[in-house]
Amino acid sequence: MTLAPYRSVWMNLWVDAPAEQGAALTREIAAVLAPFGPVTVTSRGPYWRTPELLRLDVELVPATTTTECLRALGLHPDEDGDWPTRERARDGEFLHPAVQGAQVGEEEAGTPPPFGNGEVVVVLDSPAAREEGLAGAEAVVHSSFYDPRQPDPLLRRWQHQVMPEGREMLEPFASTELRPTGRRAAVPGPPPAVYVARAGGA
């Protein structure tokens, strides 16, 4: 089977460690994941909901399919095909002794999402935009998705959840219904510690 050109495995990790250990932990976890493909681990600092835990984000480009990669890491989808949240107390150790919890996901498609989280876009004129009174409005992209029922990654079409200016609800639009502005929304918080590792070495 031909691998999809765009493959991404992402993880949110909650780690029991002081903030000053964030950079060291990014390197250690990246070293564990590097054999699976190029990986970037980012330390986001103390998690706002449980400040005693650090939040680390992982972005991995697997050398295999995303499903094969996650299974090789010891993860298993539920009956709906979703990758359930992992907790150390329930599921045992994962990646590193300090990891207390993990949320994982994956994407496979012919191309990467055309818009990233935080990008400011203009909602183009379409029946859906007119129905919501959003034609011509600016919005911030919050997430990207495709129909998971489409088994062929090359046939998957991207859609985005966007937050229109002056609204408090996310609205879904196809990528073809959005135009980039070249701007990004401000992202609060301190600069993250980032560590990038490639298969076979840093």
Side-chain angles (χ1 to χ4, degrees), residues 74-97:
L75 301 172
H76 304 282
D78 61 22
E79 56 190 22
D80 295 321
D82 297 322
W83 300 94
T85 299
R86 191 181 172 93
E87 295 179 14
R88 182 185 174 103
R90 180 190 66 209
D91 304 307
E93 187 176 311
F94 179 61
L95 299 180
H96 189 283

Side-chain angles (χ1 to χ4, degrees), residues 97-182:
V99 173
Q100 298 299 307
Q103 183 180 26
V104 302
E106 45 85 20
E107 295 174 333
E108 273 188 282
T111 62
F115 302 108
N117 296 357
E119 284 193 56
V120 179
V121 295
V122 172
V123 179
L124 300 177
D125 187 23
S126 69
R130 288 194 296 273
E131 183 178 337
E132 297 295 330
L134 292 173
E138 288 195 351
V140 177
V141 176
H142 279 241
S143 64
S144 304
F145 65 98
Y146 49 71
D147 186 348
R149 296 169 297 181
Q150 173 52 260
D152 186 344
L154 300 181
L155 297 180
R156 292 171 179 162
R157 299 294 176 257
W158 289 103
Q159 298 187 60
H160 306 274
Q161 290 280 7
V162 304
M163 180 74 74
E165 187 175 17
R167 306 243 181 141
E168 295 184 357
M169 285 186 61
L170 293 170
E171 299 285 348
F173 285 98
S175 59
T176 54
E177 298 173 314
L178 303 171
R179 175 171 54 82
T181 64

